Amino acid sequence: MKKVVVRLMAIIAFAVGLQVQAYTPSKLNVRVIGEGQPMIMIPGLTCDGAVWDTTIEALGDQYQYHVLTLPGFAGQAPLADVEAGFFNQIKSLVYQYIEENQLEKPIIVGHSLGGFLALQIGIEKPDLAEKLVVVDALPFMTAIQMPTATEESAKPFAQNMKTQMKAAASQTDEQKRTFQQMQLQSLIRNKKYIETATNWGVSSDMNTVAQAMYEMYTTDIRADLAKIKVPTLVLGAWAAYESYGSTKESVMNMYKAQYAKHPNLKLDISEGGYHFIMWDDPEFFLNWLNKFL
Protein backbone atom coordinates (compact mmCIF):
# COMPACT_ATOMS: atom_id res chain seq x y z
CA MET A 1 0.00 0.00 0.00
CA LYS A 2 2.91 2.37 0.72
CA LYS A 3 4.08 2.23 -2.90
CA VAL A 4 0.55 2.91 -4.02
CA VAL A 5 0.04 6.05 -1.99
CA VAL A 6 3.48 7.44 -2.81
CA ARG A 7 2.79 7.13 -6.50
CA LEU A 8 -0.73 8.47 -6.06
CA MET A 9 0.54 11.56 -4.30
CA ALA A 10 3.20 12.20 -6.92
CA ILE A 11 0.80 11.87 -9.82
CA ILE A 12 -1.96 13.98 -8.34
CA ALA A 13 0.53 16.62 -7.26
CA PHE A 14 1.54 17.26 -10.89
CA ALA A 15 -1.57 16.35 -12.75
CA VAL A 16 -3.77 17.87 -14.23
CA GLY A 17 -27.79 22.56 -27.75
CA LEU A 18 -28.24 24.48 -24.40
CA GLN A 19 -28.34 28.21 -24.01
CA VAL A 20 -25.16 29.40 -22.30
CA GLN A 21 -24.51 32.72 -20.54
CA ALA A 22 -20.99 33.81 -19.58
CA TYR A 23 -20.31 35.53 -16.25
CA THR A 24 -16.90 36.78 -15.07
CA PRO A 25 -16.78 38.54 -11.69
CA SER A 26 -13.20 39.52 -10.94
CA LYS A 27 -11.28 36.46 -12.17
CA LEU A 28 -13.84 33.72 -11.59
CA ASN A 29 -15.07 32.41 -14.93
CA VAL A 30 -18.56 30.91 -14.89
CA ARG A 31 -20.78 29.44 -17.60
CA VAL A 32 -24.49 29.38 -16.76
CA ILE A 33 -26.47 26.66 -18.51
CA GLY A 34 -30.22 26.09 -18.41
CA GLU A 35 -32.85 26.73 -15.75
CA GLY A 36 -33.85 24.99 -12.54
CA GLN A 37 -32.27 24.28 -9.18
CA PRO A 38 -28.78 25.82 -9.10
CA MET A 39 -25.83 23.44 -9.23
CA ILE A 40 -22.30 24.84 -8.86
CA MET A 41 -19.74 22.62 -10.61
CA ILE A 42 -16.06 23.03 -9.68
CA PRO A 43 -13.31 21.28 -11.67
CA GLY A 44 -10.01 20.00 -10.32
CA LEU A 45 -6.39 21.04 -10.68
CA THR A 46 -5.60 22.67 -14.07
CA CYS A 47 -9.01 21.69 -15.47
CA ASP A 48 -11.53 23.71 -17.43
CA GLY A 49 -15.16 23.62 -16.37
CA ALA A 50 -15.79 21.67 -19.56
CA VAL A 51 -14.73 18.58 -17.60
CA TRP A 52 -18.40 18.54 -16.49
CA ASP A 53 -19.94 18.77 -19.98
CA THR A 54 -20.71 15.04 -20.27
CA THR A 55 -22.28 15.09 -16.79
CA ILE A 56 -24.45 18.07 -17.66
CA GLU A 57 -25.59 16.44 -20.89
CA ALA A 58 -26.55 13.27 -19.02
CA LEU A 59 -28.37 15.03 -16.16
CA GLY A 60 -30.43 17.11 -18.58
CA ASP A 61 -32.50 20.22 -17.99
CA GLN A 62 -33.61 19.73 -14.39
CA TYR A 63 -30.84 21.98 -13.02
CA GLN A 64 -29.28 25.35 -13.71
CA TYR A 65 -25.57 24.62 -14.01
CA HIS A 66 -23.02 27.19 -12.88
CA VAL A 67 -19.81 25.80 -14.33
CA LEU A 68 -16.62 27.31 -12.91
CA THR A 69 -13.12 27.52 -14.35
CA LEU A 70 -10.79 28.73 -11.62
CA PRO A 71 -8.16 31.50 -11.95
CA GLY A 72 -4.80 30.26 -13.22
CA PHE A 73 -6.17 27.04 -14.70
CA ALA A 74 -6.82 26.08 -18.33
CA GLY A 75 -5.83 29.45 -19.77
CA GLN A 76 -7.57 31.65 -17.18
CA ALA A 77 -5.59 34.60 -15.83
CA PRO A 78 -4.11 33.87 -12.38
CA LEU A 79 -4.98 35.72 -9.21
CA ALA A 80 -3.01 38.94 -8.78
CA ASP A 81 -1.34 37.58 -5.63
CA VAL A 82 -1.80 33.83 -5.44
CA GLU A 83 0.78 33.61 -2.64
CA ALA A 84 -1.72 35.44 -0.43
CA GLY A 85 -3.78 32.26 -0.41
CA PHE A 86 -5.39 30.40 -3.28
CA PHE A 87 -8.32 28.75 -1.52
CA ASN A 88 -9.32 31.72 0.64
CA GLN A 89 -9.44 33.99 -2.40
CA ILE A 90 -11.38 31.46 -4.47
CA LYS A 91 -13.89 30.89 -1.66
CA SER A 92 -14.49 34.64 -1.46
CA LEU A 93 -15.16 34.78 -5.19
CA VAL A 94 -17.58 31.85 -4.97
CA TYR A 95 -19.45 33.42 -2.03
CA GLN A 96 -19.61 36.70 -3.93
CA TYR A 97 -20.98 34.96 -6.99
CA ILE A 98 -23.66 33.12 -5.02
CA GLU A 99 -24.75 36.32 -3.27
CA GLU A 100 -24.77 38.47 -6.39
CA ASN A 101 -26.82 35.92 -8.30
CA GLN A 102 -29.12 35.14 -5.37
CA LEU A 103 -28.58 31.39 -5.63
CA GLU A 104 -30.72 29.67 -3.00
CA LYS A 105 -29.42 26.38 -1.59
CA PRO A 106 -27.21 25.39 -4.54
CA ILE A 107 -25.91 21.86 -4.92
CA ILE A 108 -22.10 22.05 -4.99
CA VAL A 109 -20.23 19.43 -7.03
CA GLY A 110 -16.42 19.31 -7.00
CA HIS A 111 -13.76 17.05 -8.48
CA SER A 112 -10.38 16.60 -6.79
CA LEU A 113 -9.22 20.11 -5.83
CA GLY A 114 -12.79 21.22 -6.52
CA GLY A 115 -14.04 18.59 -4.08
CA PHE A 116 -11.65 19.85 -1.41
CA LEU A 117 -12.98 23.36 -2.03
CA ALA A 118 -16.57 22.09 -1.73
CA LEU A 119 -15.76 20.56 1.66
CA GLN A 120 -14.21 23.81 2.87
CA ILE A 121 -17.34 25.69 1.82
CA GLY A 122 -19.52 23.18 3.64
CA ILE A 123 -17.43 23.67 6.79
CA GLU A 124 -17.33 27.47 6.67
CA LYS A 125 -20.95 28.01 5.64
CA PRO A 126 -22.94 24.98 6.82
CA ASP A 127 -26.29 26.44 5.71
CA LEU A 128 -25.22 27.64 2.26
CA ALA A 129 -25.65 24.54 0.10
CA GLU A 130 -28.38 21.94 -0.12
CA LYS A 131 -26.01 19.06 -0.82
CA LEU A 132 -22.34 18.42 -1.61
CA VAL A 133 -20.89 15.98 -4.14
CA VAL A 134 -17.16 15.26 -3.79
CA VAL A 135 -15.40 13.31 -6.54
CA ASP A 136 -12.10 11.63 -5.58
CA ALA A 137 -10.92 14.18 -3.02
CA LEU A 138 -9.63 13.81 0.53
CA PRO A 139 -9.72 16.16 3.53
CA PHE A 140 -5.98 15.69 4.18
CA MET A 141 -3.97 14.37 1.25
CA THR A 142 -0.67 14.10 3.09
CA ALA A 143 -2.05 11.55 5.55
CA ILE A 144 -2.37 8.81 2.93
CA GLN A 145 1.40 8.91 2.51
CA MET A 146 2.33 9.88 6.07
CA PRO A 147 -0.45 8.74 8.44
CA THR A 148 0.96 10.61 11.45
CA ALA A 149 1.49 13.87 9.56
CA THR A 150 0.20 17.19 10.83
CA GLU A 151 -0.23 20.46 8.99
CA GLU A 152 3.08 21.65 10.45
CA SER A 153 5.07 18.50 9.77
CA ALA A 154 3.81 18.43 6.16
CA LYS A 155 5.24 21.86 5.37
CA PRO A 156 8.84 20.88 4.45
CA PHE A 157 7.63 18.18 2.08
CA ALA A 158 5.00 20.49 0.59
CA GLN A 159 7.46 23.37 0.23
CA ASN A 160 9.90 21.16 -1.66
CA MET A 161 7.10 20.05 -3.97
CA LYS A 162 6.01 23.65 -4.47
CA THR A 163 9.55 24.73 -5.38
CA GLN A 164 9.87 21.95 -7.93
CA MET A 165 6.52 22.75 -9.48
CA LYS A 166 7.29 26.46 -9.75
CA ALA A 167 10.55 25.59 -11.47
CA ALA A 168 8.52 23.76 -14.11
CA ALA A 169 7.07 27.12 -15.19
CA SER A 170 10.24 27.66 -17.23
CA GLN A 171 9.70 24.53 -19.30
CA THR A 172 8.65 24.81 -22.92
CA ASP A 173 5.08 23.95 -23.83
CA GLU A 174 6.34 20.80 -25.51
CA GLN A 175 8.12 19.68 -22.35
CA LYS A 176 4.99 20.39 -20.33
CA ARG A 177 2.86 18.50 -22.84
CA THR A 178 5.07 15.41 -22.73
CA PHE A 179 5.04 15.36 -18.95
CA GLN A 180 1.29 15.94 -18.71
CA GLN A 181 0.50 13.15 -21.16
CA MET A 182 2.67 10.73 -19.21
CA GLN A 183 1.11 11.57 -15.85
CA LEU A 184 -2.47 11.55 -17.12
CA GLN A 185 -2.16 7.91 -18.17
CA SER A 186 -2.67 7.00 -14.51
CA LEU A 187 -5.41 9.54 -13.91
CA ILE A 188 -7.67 8.99 -16.92
CA ARG A 189 -8.63 5.52 -18.09
CA ASN A 190 -10.79 6.76 -20.99
CA LYS A 191 -7.92 7.69 -23.30
CA LYS A 192 -9.98 9.89 -25.61
CA TYR A 193 -9.91 12.61 -22.94
CA ILE A 194 -6.16 12.68 -22.33
CA GLU A 195 -5.39 15.20 -25.06
CA THR A 196 -8.08 17.55 -23.78
CA ALA A 197 -6.79 17.40 -20.21
CA THR A 198 -3.22 17.79 -21.47
CA ASN A 199 -4.11 21.03 -23.25
CA TRP A 200 -5.66 22.37 -20.06
CA GLY A 201 -2.55 21.50 -18.10
CA VAL A 202 -0.17 23.09 -20.59
CA SER A 203 -2.17 26.34 -20.55
CA SER A 204 -2.32 26.51 -16.73
CA ASP A 205 -0.19 28.83 -14.61
CA MET A 206 2.37 26.70 -12.75
CA ASN A 207 2.69 29.20 -9.90
CA THR A 208 -1.03 28.81 -9.27
CA VAL A 209 -0.79 25.02 -9.49
CA ALA A 210 2.13 25.01 -7.06
CA GLN A 211 0.40 27.25 -4.51
CA ALA A 212 -2.89 25.35 -4.68
CA MET A 213 -1.16 22.01 -4.15
CA TYR A 214 0.95 23.38 -1.30
CA GLU A 215 -2.20 24.49 0.48
CA MET A 216 -3.90 21.13 -0.04
CA TYR A 217 -0.92 19.25 1.37
CA THR A 218 -0.70 21.50 4.44
CA THR A 219 -4.41 21.82 5.27
CA ASP A 220 -6.08 19.16 7.41
CA ILE A 221 -9.86 19.54 7.58
CA ARG A 222 -10.68 16.02 8.81
CA ALA A 223 -11.87 17.11 12.25
CA ASP A 224 -13.73 20.11 10.80
CA LEU A 225 -15.92 17.81 8.71
CA ALA A 226 -18.10 17.54 11.82
CA LYS A 227 -19.30 21.09 11.06
CA ILE A 228 -20.86 20.11 7.72
CA LYS A 229 -24.63 19.91 8.05
CA VAL A 230 -25.73 18.94 4.57
CA PRO A 231 -25.85 15.47 3.01
CA THR A 232 -22.59 14.75 1.21
CA LEU A 233 -21.80 12.17 -1.45
CA VAL A 234 -18.15 11.12 -1.77
CA LEU A 235 -17.05 8.93 -4.67
CA GLY A 236 -13.51 7.52 -4.76
CA ALA A 237 -11.32 5.53 -7.15
CA TRP A 238 -8.72 2.79 -6.78
CA ALA A 239 -8.30 0.86 -10.05
CA ALA A 240 -5.29 2.80 -11.35
CA TYR A 241 -3.21 1.51 -8.45
CA GLU A 242 -4.24 -2.15 -8.44
CA SER A 243 -0.86 -3.24 -9.80
CA TYR A 244 0.82 -1.56 -6.80
CA GLY A 245 -1.19 -3.52 -4.26
CA SER A 246 -4.21 -1.31 -3.80
CA THR A 247 -7.62 -2.97 -3.42
CA LYS A 248 -11.11 -1.56 -3.41
CA GLU A 249 -11.41 -2.57 0.24
CA SER A 250 -8.17 -0.86 1.30
CA VAL A 251 -9.13 2.36 -0.47
CA MET A 252 -12.62 2.25 1.02
CA ASN A 253 -11.12 1.88 4.50
CA MET A 254 -8.78 4.80 3.88
CA TYR A 255 -11.69 6.98 2.77
CA LYS A 256 -13.79 5.93 5.77
CA ALA A 257 -10.95 6.89 8.11
CA GLN A 258 -10.46 10.31 6.50
CA TYR A 259 -14.19 11.09 6.51
CA ALA A 260 -14.92 9.57 9.94
CA LYS A 261 -16.03 12.91 11.45
CA HIS A 262 -18.58 13.68 8.74
CA PRO A 263 -22.08 13.34 10.22
CA ASN A 264 -24.09 12.82 7.03
CA LEU A 265 -22.04 10.92 4.46
CA LYS A 266 -22.67 8.58 1.53
CA LEU A 267 -19.47 6.92 0.30
CA ASP A 268 -18.71 4.54 -2.54
CA ILE A 269 -15.71 3.50 -4.65
CA SER A 270 -15.77 3.07 -8.44
CA GLU A 271 -14.89 -0.40 -9.67
CA GLY A 272 -13.01 0.65 -12.79
CA GLY A 273 -12.65 4.41 -12.91
CA TYR A 274 -9.38 6.25 -12.44
CA HIS A 275 -9.19 9.74 -10.91
CA PHE A 276 -11.58 11.29 -13.47
CA ILE A 277 -14.51 9.09 -12.46
CA MET A 278 -17.07 11.11 -14.43
CA TRP A 279 -15.19 10.28 -17.64
CA ASP A 280 -14.03 6.77 -16.79
CA ASP A 281 -17.07 5.26 -15.06
CA PRO A 282 -20.03 7.41 -16.11
CA GLU A 283 -22.66 4.77 -15.35
CA PHE A 284 -21.49 4.43 -11.75
CA PHE A 285 -21.13 8.19 -11.41
CA LEU A 286 -24.51 9.12 -12.88
CA ASN A 287 -26.37 6.37 -11.04
CA TRP A 288 -25.07 7.78 -7.77
CA LEU A 289 -25.83 11.37 -8.75
CA ASN A 290 -29.41 10.57 -9.72
CA LYS A 291 -29.97 8.55 -6.56
CA PHE A 292 -28.36 11.10 -4.25
CA LEU A 293 -29.75 14.29 -5.75
Side-chain angles (χ1 to χ4, degrees):
M1 185 64 183
K2 183 177 180 181
K3 291 182 179 179
V4 181
V5 297
V6 170
R7 180 164 174 77
L8 173 63
M9 300 294 281
I11 291 172
I12 293 178
F14 289 92
V16 290
L18 293 172
Q19 183 177 0
V20 178
Q21 174 188 355
Y23 177 92
T24 311
S26 184
K27 295 188 178 180
L28 184 66
N29 180 277
V30 186
R31 284 185 298 143
V32 182
I33 304 172
E35 300 292 339
Q37 182 178 9
M39 179 182 291
I40 296 173
M41 310 189 80
I42 311 173
L45 189 75
T46 78
C47 288
D48 190 283
V51 74
W52 297 114
D53 283 358
T54 55
T55 302
I56 293 169
E57 182 179 359
L59 288 177
D61 59 4
Q62 55 189 314
Y63 303 103
Q64 183 181 64
Y65 306 96
H66 299 257
V67 188
L68 279 57
T69 302
L70 302 182
F73 297 158
Q76 296 299 311
L79 296 166
D81 183 9
V82 71
E83 294 281 344
F86 176 80
F87 281 98
N88 283 339
Q89 293 183 75
I90 298 300
K91 281 183 291 185
S92 294
L93 289 174
V94 172
Y95 298 150
Q96 175 189 345
Y97 177 80
I98 291 172
E99 182 178 358
E100 288 180 354
N101 290 274
Q102 300 180 335
L103 302 184
E104 296 292 333
K105 293 293 184 181
I107 299 164
I108 301 179
V109 182
H111 172 238
S112 192
L113 176 148
F116 187 73
L117 178 61
L119 291 171
Q120 289 186 310
I121 291 171
I123 290 166
E124 286 189 1
K125 294 187 178 294
D127 298 315
L128 181 66
E130 179 179 281
K131 295 180 179 179
L132 304 178
V133 177
V134 176
V135 185
D136 213 24
L138 294 168
F140 190 35
M141 289 178 63
T142 307
I144 66 172
Q145 182 178 2
M146 297 178 285
T148 62
T150 64
E151 291 182 341
E152 191 62 32
S153 69
K155 287 181 179 179
F157 165 80
Q159 183 60 53
N160 182 59
M161 177 193 67
K162 177 180 175 180
T163 300
Q164 293 179 3
M165 296 179 78
K166 290 181 71 172
S170 63
Q171 292 180 334
T172 66
D173 283 355
E174 193 55 40
Q175 288 173 321
K176 294 176 183 177
R177 180 174 299 278
T178 299
F179 185 78
Q180 288 283 330
Q181 288 175 334
M182 178 181 68
Q183 299 302 326
L184 288 169
Q185 297 294 325
S186 295
L187 296 175
I188 303 174
R189 191 167 197 167
N190 191 334
K191 303 307 181 189
K192 74 177 183 179
Y193 292 110
I194 288 180
E195 188 63 23
T196 297
T198 296
N199 290 336
W200 294 339
V202 170
S203 61
S204 292
D205 173 60
M206 286 306 298
N207 290 324
T208 300
V209 174
Q211 179 64 29
M213 291 307 298
Y214 174 83
E215 292 179 28
M216 288 185 71
Y217 275 81
T218 57
T219 305
D220 182 0
I221 59 174
R222 289 175 295 181
D224 290 332
L225 295 179
K227 299 176 183 177
I228 297 178
K229 294 182 179 180
V230 300
T232 301
L233 173 65
V234 175
L235 301 175
W238 72 278
Y241 314 104
E242 183 175 13
S243 61
Y244 296 91
S246 179
T247 67
K248 183 178 179 181
E249 181 181 14
S250 67
V251 172
M252 175 66 86
N253 289 337
M254 180 267 291
Y255 265 85
K256 285 180 178 178
Q258 287 241 342
Y259 282 90
K261 299 294 186 182
H262 197 300
N264 195 352
L265 184 73
K266 296 286 186 182
L267 170 64
D268 201 2
I269 305 295
S270 167
E271 287 285 354
Y274 289 1
H275 186 51
F276 285 72
I277 298 172
M278 59 286 219
W279 281 346
D280 291 339
D281 197 355
E283 183 177 359
F284 164 86
F285 181 64
L286 292 167
N287 281 346
W288 259 114
L289 276 188
N290 287 317
K291 180 165 56 175
F292 179 73
L293 299 178

